[in-house]
Amino acid sequence: MHAGDLIREWRQRRRLSQLDLAIAANVSSRHLSFVETGRSRPTSEMILHLAEHLDVPLRDRNALLLAGASRPPTPNAAWPSPSSRPSATR
């Protein structure tokens, strides 16, 4: 489960639409949608910002932060191979 799933859960508990939360938190509804679906990886600041507007209890905000940090890197983010690094000798 990623942070977006938990944010959606809390938003639904509070009976808010994505648009209502986006307006209250001063973020675009598109970005909020991307966060909730996992298309966008929110920063810890964004997670806490949304949690504040959702009135998430402090004890549960930690779970949101952990979910945001535990998401594995995207498959496209690969380490460069040693052969693709620039040569140290010139």
Side-chain angles (χ1 to χ4, degrees):
M1 182 174 283
H2 59 84
D5 292 329
L6 294 174
I7 290 169
R8 180 186 306 112
E9 222 174 82
W10 278 102
R11 181 181 57 76
Q12 291 171 341
R13 284 184 194 176
R14 301 295 188 232
R15 297 177 186 247
L16 292 172
S17 68
Q18 281 184 342
L19 182 59
D20 291 336
L21 177 57
I23 290 170
N26 198 29
V27 298
S28 75
S29 57
R30 184 177 185 168
H31 181 63
L32 179 58
S33 173
F34 281 19
V35 167
E36 287 188 1
T37 60
R39 287 183 67 187
S40 176
R41 184 174 179 190
T43 63
S44 55
E45 290 84 11
M46 176 59 73
I47 291 170
L48 290 174
H49 181 69
L50 293 172
E52 183 178 324
H53 287 281
L54 289 168
D55 293 323
V56 175
L58 290 176
R59 68 181 177 271
D60 293 318
R61 290 182 190 192
N62 204 26
L64 280 169
L65 289 171
L66 287 173
S70 66
R71 189 164 169 221
T74 59
N76 295 337
W79 289 96
S81 67
S83 62
S84 65
R85 293 183 193 146
S87 174
T89 58
R90 291 191 185 224

